[in-house]
Amino acid sequence: MHYDYLIVGAGLFGAVFTYEAMKQGKRCLVVDKRDYVAGNIYCETVDGIHVHKYGAHIFHTSNKEIWEYMNQFAEFNHYINSPVAVYKDELYNLPFNMNTFSKMWGIKTPQEAKDIIAGQIAELGITEPKNLEEQALSLAGRDVYEKLVKGYTEKQWGRDCRDLPSFIIKRLPLRFVYDNNYFNDRYQGIPVGGYTPIVEKMLEGADVLLQTDYFEYRKANPDIADKTVYTGMLDQYFDFRFGVLEYRSVRFEHERLEMENYQGNAVVNYTEREVPYTRIIEHKHFEFGTQPVTVISREYPSEWKKGDEPYYPVNDAKNEEIVKKYREAAALEQNVIFGGRLGEYRYYDMDKVVEAALKAVRTELK
């Protein structure tokens, strides 16, 4: 069998590309190292609860075209992301808004909150932030930083905020309204039934090989397709010739509990450095579940090493210098399209993955 496209990775980028290519009559073969499709948006069903196995995935976008595109594959509910933050014995609403400030300082009006934050910033006198800590302090003041930013960020990155570059936090959204909606995007929701069925629909009609290592498969089948769409690790494709790109990884600890409701919210962040996990996800709340049991997931950030699951690119000067070389090499690679979070070494929200995949396939097949 010969194919027009060999798609490496059955995640969202690869699935969108495959679906659109097949609509144009192209023959597609999809290979993935895992034993299921959907990549990191894979959902496992436990007692009727769709468990996001690789962390919470909340679809949100301001692009109407992308929203309508995704809605052809599933019905999306009206879930609004409104996380809660736990700091010691205190609970705060996220994002930082008037509910947060009212709880923190016992105030009522936006002007009171603005005055407190402005006063704290003025006291610190930071004019040119030299690190992430100084950047956050200069944007939000001492209280917000100490209680809601410092510990969480240090757990995420595994480093003291003083040792992280300031550009990681370009801004901290402070909202002076009583609104707990985390995202500003117009369209937001969770697909009823989880994400896996969406990818399964996209891949209908394609040949799919699971538990298949692309590099081994390529050796055995060098001429299987005219072109390759590669969504794996960019540096691995080139056998790490310019060095290893770094990531932050995450370990997930899933637990099924014999209770109806564990924490009353889908997403609860733990902002103390001393608590080893960054957040707990209670999956049933994404779809307003009424099951008699529940499933929670604790997320433990970790240093990444070769062989671990890569999650977040480390966008510091060192890695930017390395990835520049890989991108230059990728641009010279004939008959290979690089895409997705790993294939481009970029952090992408889901809507931006779909947008990038559509752009790639439309450019390819125009």
Side-chain angles (χ1 to χ4, degrees):
M1 181 72 74
H2 187 80
Y3 297 89
D4 296 297
Y5 294 98
L6 169 61
I7 292 92
V8 183
L12 194 52
F13 187 101
V16 170
F17 191 101
T18 301
Y19 179 78
E20 293 298 318
M22 287 192 299
K23 282 202 306 186
Q24 299 294 321
K26 304 299 182 182
R27 299 180 69 99
C28 296
L29 170 65
V30 181
V31 299
D32 199 291
K33 63 182 180 181
R34 292 173 174 163
D35 60 358
Y36 46 78
V37 301
N40 283 3
I41 62 173
Y42 170 72
C43 294
E44 179 183 43
T45 303
V46 179
D47 291 304
I49 300 166
H50 301 112
V51 177
H52 298 209
K53 292 289 284 186
Y54 298 93
H57 284 85
I58 300 148
F59 199 89
H60 58 97
T61 186
S62 292
N63 187 325
K64 186 178 181 181
E65 179 196 355
I66 299 302
W67 178 249
E68 291 177 345
Y69 183 85
M70 291 299 290
N71 272 263
Q72 70 181 304
F73 301 104
E75 176 188 355
F76 279 71
N77 66 21
H78 59 281
Y79 175 82
I80 299 294
N81 189 30
S82 304
V84 172
V86 176
Y87 176 77
K88 299 188 177 181
D89 58 350
E90 302 168 12
L91 290 174
Y92 294 100
N93 291 108
L94 297 176
F96 311 135
N97 70 81
M98 284 304 300
N99 289 308
T100 319
F101 307 141
S102 176
K103 175 72 178 291
M104 191 171 286
W105 299 310
I107 51 95
K108 295 180 181 177
T109 68
Q111 192 58 52
E112 288 175 295
K114 289 179 181 180
D115 290 345
I116 291 171
I117 292 169
Q120 291 186 2
I121 292 172
E123 284 176 16
L124 293 162
I126 299 169
T127 54
E128 294 185 18
K130 299 181 182 64
N131 52 52
L132 187 148
E133 176 168 284
E134 292 186 358
Q135 175 79 348
L137 285 168
S138 69
L139 292 170
R142 185 179 298 104
D143 291 345
V144 171
Y145 170 72
E146 292 288 348
K147 292 188 175 185
L148 301 177
V149 177
K150 178 178 167 61
Y152 192 90
T153 304
E154 290 179 344
K155 286 189 288 188
Q156 271 193 319
W157 291 95
R159 294 161 179 81
D160 191 285
C161 283
R162 295 188 188 92
D163 298 327
L164 290 167
S166 59
F167 68 76
I168 289 177
I169 294 184
K170 293 186 174 69
R171 61 187 182 86
L172 281 175
L174 304 175
R175 299 182 187 172
F176 297 97
V177 292
Y178 288 91
D179 182 3
N180 297 327
N181 183 356
Y182 193 82
F183 299 119
N184 289 316
D185 291 314
R186 179 175 179 182
Y187 308 104
Q188 182 176 172
I190 299 285
V192 177
Y195 288 97
T196 308
I198 291 177
V199 174
E200 289 172 343
K201 288 179 183 177
M202 289 179 175
L203 296 180
E204 282 178 9
D207 289 338
V208 179
L209 293 177
L210 301 176
Q211 294 181 286
T212 299
D213 179 271
Y214 161 67
F215 298 99
E216 294 298 321
Y217 188 81
R218 183 175 65 178
K219 288 178 188 174
N221 303 275
D223 301 314
I224 193 71
D226 293 334
K227 282 195 172 184
T228 297
V229 178
Y230 180 80
T231 70
M233 291 167 56
L234 180 58
D235 51 356
Q236 186 179 14
Y237 181 89
F238 293 100
D239 199 25
F240 307 102
R241 74 170 72 150
F242 303 120
V244 177
L245 291 168
E246 295 176 315
Y247 296 85
R248 287 294 287 169
S249 194
V250 185
R251 177 174 63 84
F252 299 96
E253 186 181 86
H254 306 289
E255 187 177 2
R256 179 187 179 278
L257 300 172
E258 292 288 345
M259 62 174 66
E260 186 179 350
N261 189 355
Y262 176 75
Q263 64 186 16
N265 204 50
V267 182
V268 176
N269 292 358
Y270 287 79
T271 61
E272 286 177 83
R273 180 76 184 263
E274 292 70 27
V275 177
Y277 42 86
T278 49
R279 61 183 183 174
I280 296 179
I281 307 300
E282 188 168 9
H283 302 270
K284 69 189 299 180
H285 296 307
F286 287 133
E287 297 186 62
F288 314 104
T290 58
Q291 296 88 352
V293 299
T294 193
V295 178
I296 64 170
S297 300
R298 296 178 181 87
E299 298 186 10
Y300 297 82
S302 61
E303 288 290 336
W304 177 86
K305 60 184 183 299
K306 281 175 70 173
D308 291 345
E309 192 65 39
Y311 283 93
Y312 306 109
V314 178
N315 299 125
D316 59 12
K318 170 188 168 186
N319 285 286
E320 282 301 311
E321 188 63 33
I322 295 172
V323 78
K324 181 182 177 184
K325 296 175 184 176
Y326 282 120
R327 287 173 183 156
E328 289 170 352
L332 298 174
E333 196 78 1
Q334 292 188 338
N335 299 322
V336 182
I337 298 166
F338 295 85
R341 179 176 52 92
L342 302 182
E344 297 182 56
Y345 195 69
R346 302 183 196 278
Y347 180 78
Y348 273 125
D349 285 329
M350 281 183 289
D351 65 320
K352 297 301 189 292
V353 172
V354 176
E355 197 173 328
L358 287 173
K359 181 180 179 181
V361 74
R362 288 166 181 172
T363 299
E364 172 69 13
L365 299 176
K366 66 183 177 183

